[in-house]
Amino acid sequence: FKQINDTLGHAAGDAMLVHVSQVLKQTLNAGDFAARIGGDEFVVAASTDVSEAGLAKLAERIITQMRQPTTFEGHECRCGVSIGIASEAGIAVDPAQLLVNADIALYRAKNRGRNRFEFFTEALQAEVIRTKQVADAILKGLERAEFLPYYQPLFDAHTLEIVGVEALARWRHPTLG
């Protein structure tokens, strides 16, 4: 909603919130629950047909309806939507962990483009953990001066004059070499 707020004002952003609430109200099944958890983020707790296929259909319906324009003071407003889906069967459902898992899936959906949904998977969680571990290791490597610069001159092929330099960083990892 930031772009709408910035260009048309907060009243337009409020109109988009009304649009979202109407879409969710029309799209969700009886017994489902929706709440705004901040800014332009919402959470939906689906109580019916929580199979992967059922959740995918629900996400597709929400995306289709959210793509429909809404008019505010003569301006046609549209917004994209990204959806992260996490589900857990059984009676030992940890709602806080479900939200974390849905958030991980949401960021994957956002990274892959608007108007899509992604499911949380164990593989996705492992990828996120691995990325975090590598990022932490890079920061530690920078603190420990494990990165060494190597400079290569760039030559003009016709004159053989140096026209620039390329800097490469090599990481001397303490365990991986």
Side-chain angles (χ1 to χ4, degrees), residues 16-26 42:
M16 289 305 295
L17 287 173
V18 170
H19 173 64
V20 171
S21 68
Q22 290 170 341
V23 165
L24 292 176
K25 192 175 197 179
Q26 294 167 1
F42 296 80

Side-chain angles (χ1 to χ4, degrees), residues 1-174:
F1 298 151
K2 181 176 176 12
Q3 191 174 37
I4 291 171
N5 283 338
D6 290 349
T7 57
L8 299 175
H10 289 280
D14 292 346
M16 289 305 295
L17 287 173
V18 170
H19 173 64
V20 171
S21 68
Q22 290 170 341
V23 165
L24 292 176
K25 192 175 197 179
Q26 294 167 1
T27 309
L28 297 180
N29 298 314
D32 291 350
F33 173 81
R36 180 178 177 210
I37 58 173
D40 62 353
E41 291 195 4
F42 296 80
V43 65
V44 171
S47 61
T48 56
D49 193 7
V50 291
S51 67
E52 189 167 302
L55 292 172
K57 285 180 185 177
L58 176 60
E60 287 169 353
R61 287 195 317 262
I62 291 170
I63 290 168
T64 298
Q65 292 302 312
M66 286 298 300
R67 293 185 74 183
Q68 301 305 312
T70 187
T71 303
F72 175 78
E73 294 182 356
H75 298 279
E76 193 173 84
C77 300
R78 297 176 183 269
C79 64
V81 60
S82 301
I83 299 174
I85 302 172
S87 65
E88 187 174 323
I91 55 175
V93 175
D94 178 4
Q97 188 60 51
L98 275 177
L99 285 174
V100 169
N101 294 351
D103 209 35
I104 290 170
L106 171 64
Y107 284 109
R108 168 58 60 89
K110 284 182 177 182
N111 287 337
R112 290 189 170 174
R114 290 282 180 203
N115 299 316
R116 64 177 304 119
F117 64 90
E118 292 289 334
F119 281 91
F120 172 82
T121 63
E122 297 298 326
L124 178 56
Q125 183 177 34
E127 180 183 320
V128 168
I129 290 169
R130 177 73 180 134
T131 300
K132 173 76 169 111
Q133 289 171 338
V134 170
D136 290 345
I138 288 171
L139 290 174
K140 286 180 185 174
L142 289 169
E143 290 171 358
R144 297 177 183 159
E146 294 171 355
F147 289 89
L148 302 172
Y150 288 86
Y151 301 99
Q152 292 182 177
L154 300 176
F155 294 93
D156 181 303
H158 297 292
T159 65
L160 298 180
E161 290 184 37
I162 296 176
V163 293
V165 67
E166 179 179 73
L168 304 173
R170 298 226 169 103
W171 185 3
R172 278 199 198 164
H173 193 279

